[in-house]
Structures are given as C-alpha cells and as structure tokens.
Amino acid sequence: MTRAALLVCPASGKGRAARMAGTVAARLRTAVDALDLHVASSAEGTLALARRAVDDGVDVLVVLGGDGGAHLGVQACAGTSTALAVVPAGTGNDLATALGTSSVDDVVGALCDDARRSLDLGQVGNGTWFATVLCAGFDSAVNERANAMRWPAGPRRYDLAILAELAALRPEPLVVETEDATLELDALLVAIGNTTSYGGGIPVCPDADPADGSLDVTVVSAAPRRTLLRMLPTLRTGRHVDHPAVRTFRAKSVRLAGPGWVGYADGERVHGLPLEVQCRSAALTVVSR
C-alpha cells in the first residue's frame, strides 16, 4: 500500500499550482492507494505541513510548485524514508528537471513503476539542506533581483536580472577552502552544485552528478565587464567552464568566506558568508526514472 501526500504551493507560477491542484490530485490517485491534500499560504506553513506529513509516515511527499516549494520538501524528507516527488509549477523548476519529471504524468509513471533512487544533498552549517545549487556573489544578487521582479515569468526573468546586475558588478575578495586546498582570489561568483543547474536551466556546474558523493564548485574570478558579456551566451550551454577566468573542482566539504556576499541555496536566501557546506551522500530518496 502506497500512502502519499500532495503538498500544494498555491502561489507558485503566479497561481499556476493552485489552478493545477485538482487535476494533479486526480492523476496521482490513479497511482497510489491513499492521497492526502495539503495547502498552505506561506513558506512557514508549507514547511510545517511537509514535516507533519513525513512525521505521519507517508511513503511519498509530492510537491506541486517551483524550486521554493521543492526546497521545503527537501527539508522535510532529507534523512528519512519518505520519498520526494516534484510536479513542476514554478518559475525555474530546476529540481524537477534534474529528476526528469516535467509533468504529473512523469510522476505518475514513476510511481506506477516504483522508480526511486537516492540523491546526494548539500547541507549548510546551519542545517539547511539543498538539492541543486548554492551560490554567492553575482549569482545571488541575480536571485535577489529576479525574486523581486513581477515580469516576465519563467527563465527570461533570470536573463533580464543578469543584465541588470552587470551594471553594478564589482569583484570581491573570496576564500574557498576544501578538504584538499585553499583558494584566495578576487571573484565575481561562486557556485556549489549538487546538480548541474539553477536559474531556470543555467548549467553553472555542468558536470555535477547528484549521486557521486561530492559537490562541484565553479568560481568566476575578476574579469572586465566586456569579457563577461562575451561569456554570457556560453552559460546556457555550459561552455563557460572553458574560459580562463573560470575555475572548477570537486569537493566533499567547502567553506566560503568573503565580505558582503549572501548565500542562496535552491534559489532561497540562506545567510551571509562565511558558509560551510558538506556533501551528504544518498541523503534523499526521490521518485524519478
């Protein structure tokens, strides 16, 4: 018998999740024996409902929302036997893309096939888990701007936020410390990837594998603005890692330090640097082919 809970984040996608909820619930009921429906009007309420469902022992927690809702689902399911599934209904949907679930039909198919696998997670020193990418510097500033924008919807919001933030771009001192080495430089951004992409499909850590027991780190050092403008088109293809200003490496633990930078994980604000991050192997079970 499979017990599932559907966690609806009604504000996701400018109300798209709320509009989809009835249809999604009906489809899910064809693949599970019991389904509870939970709807909350705030992030705090959503997290509380997610944790309550996991504490009640559901086999699967299905999040209907964007990366923000998925991030809350990760907090509840990490380190437990409850599997997480994501039906995308938000702006970026990067975790759903990484799981290969682009619609409720994908989730239903995986549930019917009992297709589950283990994923690594990143964990910040304050206990926050993340499934996709933690970033700081230019990319976190882009996140803050994109989150405040009302138009446009979808990945184009991140593209416009990138262009807007370029005007105020300044390199800052950054220290990146891993179990193997310490890197000190003037940098523009740093991204720690468990999966490849953030910002609606930007593969900032294109070789990241969420099942290899390590995190991929991408650092962009100080460079002229015109150089960055030429680099921007390569972000969507992952070719930016070939640029001389970009450094990449893998680590199981990373400590970031630098003045004035704020960390974002799964597109959600964490806190300012310094930050310590650990890779936790196989910390999450997901419904995914």
Side-chain angles (χ1 to χ4, degrees):
M1 179 176 179
T2 300
R3 290 181 56 219
L6 174 61
L7 182 66
V8 180
C9 306
S12 294
K14 294 186 175 181
R16 182 180 174 220
R19 295 190 296 271
M20 294 170 57
T23 301
V24 168
R27 288 288 291 119
L28 289 173
R29 287 192 173 99
T30 67
V32 299
D33 299 294
L35 180 74
D36 297 326
L37 180 63
H38 301 285
V39 183
S41 58
S42 67
E44 294 79 8
T46 300
L47 180 57
L49 288 174
R51 285 181 167 154
R52 186 182 307 166
V54 171
D55 289 344
D56 285 346
V58 297
D59 301 296
V60 180
L61 176 67
V62 183
V63 174
L64 173 58
D67 283 321
H71 178 74
L72 297 174
V74 168
Q75 308 312 304
C77 294
T80 76
S81 60
T82 298
L84 177 69
V86 182
V87 178
T91 300
N93 303 314
D94 289 302
L95 181 55
T97 299
L99 299 182
T101 53
S102 61
S103 69
V104 64
D105 290 336
D106 291 332
V107 173
V108 168
L111 286 169
C112 290
D113 293 341
D114 196 26
R116 304 186 188 187
R117 60 189 173 106
S118 295
L119 247 63
D120 301 337
L121 291 176
Q123 188 175 32
V124 186
N126 67 356
T128 300
W129 301 91
F130 68 93
T132 58
V133 178
L134 181 145
C135 63
F138 173 68
D139 36 9
S140 60
V142 168
N143 258 307
E144 294 208 319
R145 181 176 289 273
N147 289 342
M149 293 169 64
R150 295 188 175 183
W151 180 91
R156 285 291 297 164
R157 177 180 300 178
Y158 294 98
D159 293 338
L160 291 181
I162 286 171
L163 293 174
E165 284 299 324
L166 275 172
L169 187 61
R170 298 289 185 276
E172 297 285 352
L174 175 69
V175 179
V176 183
E177 183 179 350
T178 73
E179 65 271 20
D180 296 321
T182 298
L183 177 66
E184 298 184 37
L185 74 169
D186 288 339
L188 297 172
L189 70 85
V190 57
I192 302 174
N194 183 51
T195 61
T196 62
S197 302
Y198 65 179
I202 299 173
V204 66
C205 299
D207 295 324
D209 178 351
D212 65 358
S214 63
L215 299 164
D216 279 34
V217 184
T218 299
V219 181
V220 179
S221 58
R225 191 173 286 108
R226 62 181 179 275
T227 300
L228 294 173
L229 285 169
R230 289 196 298 268
M231 190 189 301
L232 280 179
T234 68
L235 280 172
R236 285 287 177 187
T237 64
R239 294 295 303 275
H240 60 285
V241 297
D242 298 328
H243 195 279
V246 179
R247 305 188 191 194
T248 61
F249 47 93
R250 288 190 173 93
K252 296 184 182 298
S253 64
V254 185
R255 184 179 187 274
L256 303 177
W261 283 15
V262 176
Y264 268 69
D266 291 339
E268 301 298 308
R269 201 177 202 272
V270 183
H271 59 72
L273 272 56
L275 281 171
E276 294 186 6
V277 179
Q278 299 283 335
C279 180
R280 305 299 186 190
S281 296
L284 179 69
T285 301
V286 294
V287 175
S288 171
R289 292 185 185 278

PDB file of all heavy atoms in Angstrom, residues 43-77:
ATOM      1  N   ALA A  43       5.417  30.137   3.307  1.00  0.00           N
ATOM      2  CA  ALA A  43       6.530  29.191   3.316  1.00  0.00           C
ATOM      3  C   ALA A  43       6.598  28.454   4.648  1.00  0.00           C
ATOM      4  O   ALA A  43       6.837  27.243   4.692  1.00  0.00           O
ATOM      5  CB  ALA A  43       7.836  29.933   3.048  1.00  0.00           C
ATOM      6  N   GLU A  44       6.373  29.178   5.740  1.00  0.00           N
ATOM      7  CA  GLU A  44       6.423  28.548   7.058  1.00  0.00           C
ATOM      8  C   GLU A  44       5.341  27.480   7.188  1.00  0.00           C
ATOM      9  O   GLU A  44       5.582  26.383   7.703  1.00  0.00           O
ATOM     10  CB  GLU A  44       6.256  29.600   8.157  1.00  0.00           C
ATOM     11  CG  GLU A  44       7.392  30.608   8.264  1.00  0.00           C
ATOM     12  CD  GLU A  44       7.318  31.704   7.212  1.00  0.00           C
ATOM     13  OE1 GLU A  44       6.294  31.774   6.479  1.00  0.00           O
ATOM     14  OE2 GLU A  44       8.276  32.485   7.126  1.00  0.00           O
ATOM     15  N   GLY A  45       4.144  27.801   6.700  1.00  0.00           N
ATOM     16  CA  GLY A  45       3.060  26.831   6.759  1.00  0.00           C
ATOM     17  C   GLY A  45       3.305  25.630   5.873  1.00  0.00           C
ATOM     18  O   GLY A  45       2.982  24.493   6.230  1.00  0.00           O
ATOM     19  N   THR A  46       3.908  25.875   4.702  1.00  0.00           N
ATOM     20  CA  THR A  46       4.216  24.777   3.787  1.00  0.00           C
ATOM     21  C   THR A  46       5.221  23.821   4.414  1.00  0.00           C
ATOM     22  O   THR A  46       5.060  22.595   4.349  1.00  0.00           O
ATOM     23  CB  THR A  46       4.769  25.328   2.459  1.00  0.00           C
ATOM     24  OG1 THR A  46       3.789  26.186   1.865  1.00  0.00           O
ATOM     25  CG2 THR A  46       5.105  24.204   1.501  1.00  0.00           C
ATOM     26  N   LEU A  47       6.263  24.370   5.029  1.00  0.00           N
ATOM     27  CA  LEU A  47       7.269  23.524   5.673  1.00  0.00           C
ATOM     28  C   LEU A  47       6.654  22.736   6.819  1.00  0.00           C
ATOM     29  O   LEU A  47       6.947  21.541   6.999  1.00  0.00           O
ATOM     30  CB  LEU A  47       8.428  24.378   6.173  1.00  0.00           C
ATOM     31  CG  LEU A  47       9.561  23.633   6.877  1.00  0.00           C
ATOM     32  CD1 LEU A  47      10.140  22.557   5.978  1.00  0.00           C
ATOM     33  CD2 LEU A  47      10.655  24.607   7.311  1.00  0.00           C
ATOM     34  N   ALA A  48       5.785  23.375   7.609  1.00  0.00           N
ATOM     35  CA  ALA A  48       5.145  22.679   8.729  1.00  0.00           C
ATOM     36  C   ALA A  48       4.286  21.527   8.235  1.00  0.00           C
ATOM     37  O   ALA A  48       4.304  20.429   8.818  1.00  0.00           O
ATOM     38  CB  ALA A  48       4.312  23.672   9.541  1.00  0.00           C
ATOM     39  N   LEU A  49       3.530  21.751   7.153  1.00  0.00           N
ATOM     40  CA  LEU A  49       2.700  20.684   6.607  1.00  0.00           C
ATOM     41  C   LEU A  49       3.547  19.553   6.033  1.00  0.00           C
ATOM     42  O   LEU A  49       3.201  18.375   6.174  1.00  0.00           O
ATOM     43  CB  LEU A  49       1.782  21.247   5.523  1.00  0.00           C
ATOM     44  CG  LEU A  49       0.620  22.127   6.000  1.00  0.00           C
ATOM     45  CD1 LEU A  49      -0.114  22.724   4.815  1.00  0.00           C
ATOM     46  CD2 LEU A  49      -0.342  21.319   6.868  1.00  0.00           C
ATOM     47  N   ALA A  50       4.658  19.907   5.378  1.00  0.00           N
ATOM     48  CA  ALA A  50       5.544  18.882   4.832  1.00  0.00           C
ATOM     49  C   ALA A  50       6.111  18.008   5.949  1.00  0.00           C
ATOM     50  O   ALA A  50       6.127  16.771   5.838  1.00  0.00           O
ATOM     51  CB  ALA A  50       6.672  19.534   4.036  1.00  0.00           C
ATOM     52  N   ARG A  51       6.556  18.635   7.007  1.00  0.00           N
ATOM     53  CA  ARG A  51       7.131  17.863   8.122  1.00  0.00           C
ATOM     54  C   ARG A  51       6.066  17.023   8.818  1.00  0.00           C
ATOM     55  O   ARG A  51       6.348  15.897   9.260  1.00  0.00           O
ATOM     56  CB  ARG A  51       7.811  18.826   9.092  1.00  0.00           C
ATOM     57  CG  ARG A  51       9.142  19.336   8.540  1.00  0.00           C
ATOM     58  CD  ARG A  51       9.847  20.265   9.483  1.00  0.00           C
ATOM     59  NE  ARG A  51      11.229  20.471   9.041  1.00  0.00           N
ATOM     60  CZ  ARG A  51      11.951  21.544   9.322  1.00  0.00           C
ATOM     61  NH1 ARG A  51      11.427  22.526  10.044  1.00  0.00           N
ATOM     62  NH2 ARG A  51      13.201  21.640   8.890  1.00  0.00           N
ATOM     63  N   ARG A  52       4.853  17.552   8.899  1.00  0.00           N
ATOM     64  CA  ARG A  52       3.774  16.779   9.525  1.00  0.00           C
ATOM     65  C   ARG A  52       3.468  15.535   8.708  1.00  0.00           C
ATOM     66  O   ARG A  52       3.268  14.445   9.258  1.00  0.00           O
ATOM     67  CB  ARG A  52       2.523  17.645   9.651  1.00  0.00           C
ATOM     68  CG  ARG A  52       1.382  16.971  10.436  1.00  0.00           C
ATOM     69  CD  ARG A  52       0.166  17.881  10.483  1.00  0.00           C
ATOM     70  NE  ARG A  52       0.532  19.205  10.978  1.00  0.00           N
ATOM     71  CZ  ARG A  52      -0.259  20.281  10.863  1.00  0.00           C
ATOM     72  NH1 ARG A  52      -1.419  20.182  10.233  1.00  0.00           N
ATOM     73  NH2 ARG A  52       0.131  21.434  11.348  1.00  0.00           N
ATOM     74  N   ALA A  53       3.440  15.686   7.383  1.00  0.00           N
ATOM     75  CA  ALA A  53       3.162  14.533   6.522  1.00  0.00           C
ATOM     76  C   ALA A  53       4.248  13.468   6.667  1.00  0.00           C
ATOM     77  O   ALA A  53       3.949  12.274   6.753  1.00  0.00           O
ATOM     78  CB  ALA A  53       3.058  14.986   5.068  1.00  0.00           C
ATOM     79  N   VAL A  54       5.506  13.902   6.708  1.00  0.00           N
ATOM     80  CA  VAL A  54       6.612  12.954   6.866  1.00  0.00           C
ATOM     81  C   VAL A  54       6.542  12.287   8.236  1.00  0.00           C
ATOM     82  O   VAL A  54       6.733  11.071   8.366  1.00  0.00           O
ATOM     83  CB  VAL A  54       7.956  13.666   6.655  1.00  0.00           C
ATOM     84  CG1 VAL A  54       9.117  12.744   7.024  1.00  0.00           C
ATOM     85  CG2 VAL A  54       8.090  14.121   5.199  1.00  0.00           C
ATOM     86  N   ASP A  55       6.261  13.067   9.276  1.00  0.00           N
ATOM     87  CA  ASP A  55       6.146  12.506  10.628  1.00  0.00           C
ATOM     88  C   ASP A  55       5.001  11.501  10.713  1.00  0.00           C
ATOM     89  O   ASP A  55       5.062  10.547  11.508  1.00  0.00           O
ATOM     90  CB  ASP A  55       5.932  13.619  11.650  1.00  0.00           C
ATOM     91  CG  ASP A  55       7.178  14.466  11.869  1.00  0.00           C
ATOM     92  OD1 ASP A  55       8.278  14.018  11.475  1.00  0.00           O
ATOM     93  OD2 ASP A  55       7.049  15.578  12.421  1.00  0.00           O
ATOM     94  N   ASP A  56       3.953  11.707   9.882  1.00  0.00           N
ATOM     95  CA  ASP A  56       2.820  10.774   9.870  1.00  0.00           C
ATOM     96  C   ASP A  56       3.138   9.490   9.110  1.00  0.00           C
ATOM     97  O   ASP A  56       2.325   8.567   9.073  1.00  0.00           O
ATOM     98  CB  ASP A  56       1.594  11.437   9.231  1.00  0.00           C
ATOM     99  CG  ASP A  56       0.932  12.452  10.157  1.00  0.00           C
ATOM    100  OD1 ASP A  56       1.243  12.443  11.357  1.00  0.00           O
ATOM    101  OD2 ASP A  56       0.123  13.259   9.659  1.00  0.00           O
ATOM    102  N   GLY A  57       4.310   9.455   8.456  1.00  0.00           N
ATOM    103  CA  GLY A  57       4.767   8.217   7.833  1.00  0.00           C
ATOM    104  C   GLY A  57       4.331   7.995   6.402  1.00  0.00           C
ATOM    105  O   GLY A  57       4.274   6.836   5.953  1.00  0.00           O
ATOM    106  N   VAL A  58       4.044   9.072   5.651  1.00  0.00           N
ATOM    107  CA  VAL A  58       3.678   8.862   4.243  1.00  0.00           C
ATOM    108  C   VAL A  58       4.872   8.287   3.487  1.00  0.00           C
ATOM    109  O   VAL A  58       6.028   8.566   3.808  1.00  0.00           O
ATOM    110  CB  VAL A  58       3.199  10.164   3.569  1.00  0.00           C
ATOM    111  CG1 VAL A  58       1.932  10.674   4.227  1.00  0.00           C
ATOM    112  CG2 VAL A  58       4.279  11.224   3.562  1.00  0.00           C
ATOM    113  N   ASP A  59       4.576   7.488   2.476  1.00  0.00           N
ATOM    114  CA  ASP A  59       5.634   6.892   1.670  1.00  0.00           C
ATOM    115  C   ASP A  59       6.232   7.900   0.695  1.00  0.00           C
ATOM    116  O   ASP A  59       7.431   7.849   0.411  1.00  0.00           O
ATOM    117  CB  ASP A  59       5.081   5.694   0.882  1.00  0.00           C
ATOM    118  CG  ASP A  59       4.504   4.635   1.795  1.00  0.00           C
ATOM    119  OD1 ASP A  59       5.264   4.057   2.587  1.00  0.00           O
ATOM    120  OD2 ASP A  59       3.286   4.398   1.717  1.00  0.00           O
ATOM    121  N   VAL A  60       5.387   8.786   0.169  1.00  0.00           N
ATOM    122  CA  VAL A  60       5.822   9.751  -0.838  1.00  0.00           C
ATOM    123  C   VAL A  60       5.222  11.110  -0.520  1.00  0.00           C
ATOM    124  O   VAL A  60       4.020  11.226  -0.253  1.00  0.00           O
ATOM    125  CB  VAL A  60       5.387   9.333  -2.262  1.00  0.00           C
ATOM    126  CG1 VAL A  60       5.869  10.362  -3.289  1.00  0.00           C
ATOM    127  CG2 VAL A  60       5.908   7.943  -2.609  1.00  0.00           C
ATOM    128  N   LEU A  61       6.059  12.140  -0.568  1.00  0.00           N
ATOM    129  CA  LEU A  61       5.602  13.521  -0.493  1.00  0.00           C
ATOM    130  C   LEU A  61       5.733  14.123  -1.885  1.00  0.00           C
ATOM    131  O   LEU A  61       6.839  14.212  -2.425  1.00  0.00           O
ATOM    132  CB  LEU A  61       6.434  14.323   0.506  1.00  0.00           C
ATOM    133  CG  LEU A  61       6.095  15.814   0.607  1.00  0.00           C
ATOM    134  CD1 LEU A  61       4.710  16.020   1.206  1.00  0.00           C
ATOM    135  CD2 LEU A  61       7.147  16.564   1.437  1.00  0.00           C
ATOM    136  N   VAL A  62       4.617  14.506  -2.477  1.00  0.00           N
ATOM    137  CA  VAL A  62       4.613  15.106  -3.814  1.00  0.00           C
ATOM    138  C   VAL A  62       4.434  16.613  -3.657  1.00  0.00           C
ATOM    139  O   VAL A  62       3.446  17.064  -3.070  1.00  0.00           O
ATOM    140  CB  VAL A  62       3.482  14.544  -4.697  1.00  0.00           C
ATOM    141  CG1 VAL A  62       3.567  15.136  -6.102  1.00  0.00           C
ATOM    142  CG2 VAL A  62       3.537  13.025  -4.744  1.00  0.00           C
ATOM    143  N   VAL A  63       5.386  17.379  -4.152  1.00  0.00           N
ATOM    144  CA  VAL A  63       5.310  18.838  -4.090  1.00  0.00           C
ATOM    145  C   VAL A  63       4.831  19.363  -5.435  1.00  0.00           C
ATOM    146  O   VAL A  63       5.428  19.059  -6.473  1.00  0.00           O
ATOM    147  CB  VAL A  63       6.674  19.452  -3.737  1.00  0.00           C
ATOM    148  CG1 VAL A  63       6.608  20.977  -3.813  1.00  0.00           C
ATOM    149  CG2 VAL A  63       7.116  19.015  -2.346  1.00  0.00           C
ATOM    150  N   LEU A  64       3.757  20.119  -5.413  1.00  0.00           N
ATOM    151  CA  LEU A  64       3.262  20.810  -6.603  1.00  0.00           C
ATOM    152  C   LEU A  64       3.640  22.273  -6.455  1.00  0.00           C
ATOM    153  O   LEU A  64       3.019  23.018  -5.705  1.00  0.00           O
ATOM    154  CB  LEU A  64       1.748  20.648  -6.736  1.00  0.00           C
ATOM    155  CG  LEU A  64       1.056  21.461  -7.851  1.00  0.00           C
ATOM    156  CD1 LEU A  64       1.627  21.123  -9.223  1.00  0.00           C
ATOM    157  CD2 LEU A  64      -0.449  21.240  -7.814  1.00  0.00           C
ATOM    158  N   GLY A  65       4.705  22.680  -7.161  1.00  0.00           N
ATOM    159  CA  GLY A  65       5.201  24.045  -7.026  1.00  0.00           C
ATOM    160  C   GLY A  65       6.499  24.222  -7.779  1.00  0.00           C
ATOM    161  O   GLY A  65       6.848  23.418  -8.639  1.00  0.00           O
ATOM    162  N   GLY A  66       7.226  25.271  -7.427  1.00  0.00           N
ATOM    163  CA  GLY A  66       8.508  25.552  -8.053  1.00  0.00           C
ATOM    164  C   GLY A  66       9.661  25.113  -7.174  1.00  0.00           C
ATOM    165  O   GLY A  66       9.496  24.283  -6.266  1.00  0.00           O
ATOM    166  N   ASP A  67      10.831  25.683  -7.426  1.00  0.00           N
ATOM    167  CA  ASP A  67      12.009  25.280  -6.657  1.00  0.00           C
ATOM    168  C   ASP A  67      11.907  25.672  -5.194  1.00  0.00           C
ATOM    169  O   ASP A  67      12.481  25.011  -4.323  1.00  0.00           O
ATOM    170  CB  ASP A  67      13.263  25.879  -7.289  1.00  0.00           C
ATOM    171  CG  ASP A  67      13.689  25.119  -8.541  1.00  0.00           C
ATOM    172  OD1 ASP A  67      13.593  23.887  -8.548  1.00  0.00           O
ATOM    173  OD2 ASP A  67      14.108  25.775  -9.516  1.00  0.00           O
ATOM    174  N   GLY A  68      11.176  26.748  -4.889  1.00  0.00           N
ATOM    175  CA  GLY A  68      10.988  27.125  -3.493  1.00  0.00           C
ATOM    176  C   GLY A  68      10.221  26.073  -2.726  1.00  0.00           C
ATOM    177  O   GLY A  68      10.601  25.679  -1.618  1.00  0.00           O
ATOM    178  N   GLY A  69       9.128  25.584  -3.309  1.00  0.00           N
ATOM    179  CA  GLY A  69       8.361  24.523  -2.671  1.00  0.00           C
ATOM    180  C   GLY A  69       9.141  23.229  -2.598  1.00  0.00           C
ATOM    181  O   GLY A  69       9.088  22.511  -1.587  1.00  0.00           O
ATOM    182  N   ALA A  70       9.871  22.908  -3.668  1.00  0.00           N
ATOM    183  CA  ALA A  70      10.696  21.699  -3.659  1.00  0.00           C
ATOM    184  C   ALA A  70      11.758  21.776  -2.564  1.00  0.00           C
ATOM    185  O   ALA A  70      12.057  20.779  -1.893  1.00  0.00           O
ATOM    186  CB  ALA A  70      11.347  21.504  -5.021  1.00  0.00           C
ATOM    187  N   HIS A  71      12.333  22.971  -2.373  1.00  0.00           N
ATOM    188  CA  HIS A  71      13.333  23.179  -1.320  1.00  0.00           C
ATOM    189  C   HIS A  71      12.744  22.860   0.051  1.00  0.00           C
ATOM    190  O   HIS A  71      13.401  22.228   0.893  1.00  0.00           O
ATOM    191  CB  HIS A  71      13.809  24.625  -1.383  1.00  0.00           C
ATOM    192  CG  HIS A  71      14.796  25.005  -0.333  1.00  0.00           C
ATOM    193  ND1 HIS A  71      16.113  24.591  -0.348  1.00  0.00           N
ATOM    194  CD2 HIS A  71      14.664  25.789   0.769  1.00  0.00           C
ATOM    195  CE1 HIS A  71      16.748  25.090   0.699  1.00  0.00           C
ATOM    196  NE2 HIS A  71      15.894  25.809   1.395  1.00  0.00           N
ATOM    197  N   LEU A  72      11.508  23.279   0.281  1.00  0.00           N
ATOM    198  CA  LEU A  72      10.852  22.976   1.562  1.00  0.00           C
ATOM    199  C   LEU A  72      10.584  21.483   1.696  1.00  0.00           C
ATOM    200  O   LEU A  72      10.734  20.913   2.783  1.00  0.00           O
ATOM    201  CB  LEU A  72       9.556  23.774   1.674  1.00  0.00           C
ATOM    202  CG  LEU A  72       9.722  25.296   1.682  1.00  0.00           C
ATOM    203  CD1 LEU A  72       8.362  25.978   1.645  1.00  0.00           C
ATOM    204  CD2 LEU A  72      10.521  25.761   2.890  1.00  0.00           C
ATOM    205  N   GLY A  73      10.213  20.842   0.595  1.00  0.00           N
ATOM    206  CA  GLY A  73      10.028  19.399   0.632  1.00  0.00           C
ATOM    207  C   GLY A  73      11.312  18.662   0.963  1.00  0.00           C
ATOM    208  O   GLY A  73      11.301  17.657   1.688  1.00  0.00           O
ATOM    209  N   VAL A  74      12.423  19.154   0.448  1.00  0.00           N
ATOM    210  CA  VAL A  74      13.731  18.559   0.746  1.00  0.00           C
ATOM    211  C   VAL A  74      14.023  18.641   2.238  1.00  0.00           C
ATOM    212  O   VAL A  74      14.520  17.679   2.842  1.00  0.00           O
ATOM    213  CB  VAL A  74      14.842  19.253  -0.066  1.00  0.00           C
ATOM    214  CG1 VAL A  74      16.230  18.855   0.445  1.00  0.00           C
ATOM    215  CG2 VAL A  74      14.713  18.907  -1.547  1.00  0.00           C
ATOM    216  N   GLN A  75      13.706  19.779   2.858  1.00  0.00           N
ATOM    217  CA  GLN A  75      13.972  19.938   4.291  1.00  0.00           C
ATOM    218  C   GLN A  75      13.233  18.878   5.104  1.00  0.00           C
ATOM    219  O   GLN A  75      13.751  18.383   6.114  1.00  0.00           O
ATOM    220  CB  GLN A  75      13.550  21.332   4.783  1.00  0.00           C
ATOM    221  CG  GLN A  75      14.092  22.508   3.996  1.00  0.00           C
ATOM    222  CD  GLN A  75      15.580  22.434   3.725  1.00  0.00           C
ATOM    223  OE1 GLN A  75      16.396  22.314   4.636  1.00  0.00           O
ATOM    224  NE2 GLN A  75      15.938  22.501   2.449  1.00  0.00           N
ATOM    225  N   ALA A  76      12.013  18.539   4.660  1.00  0.00           N
ATOM    226  CA  ALA A  76      11.204  17.573   5.399  1.00  0.00           C
ATOM    227  C   ALA A  76      11.625  16.134   5.134  1.00  0.00           C
ATOM    228  O   ALA A  76      11.594  15.289   6.044  1.00  0.00           O
ATOM    229  CB  ALA A  76       9.731  17.757   5.035  1.00  0.00           C
ATOM    230  N   CYS A  77      12.028  15.826   3.892  1.00  0.00           N
ATOM    231  CA  CYS A  77      12.280  14.429   3.504  1.00  0.00           C
ATOM    232  C   CYS A  77      13.724  13.984   3.715  1.00  0.00           C
ATOM    233  O   CYS A  77      13.997  12.773   3.776  1.00  0.00           O
ATOM    234  CB  CYS A  77      11.903  14.216   2.045  1.00  0.00           C
ATOM    235  SG  CYS A  77      10.139  14.381   1.700  1.00  0.00           S
TER     236      CYS A  77
END
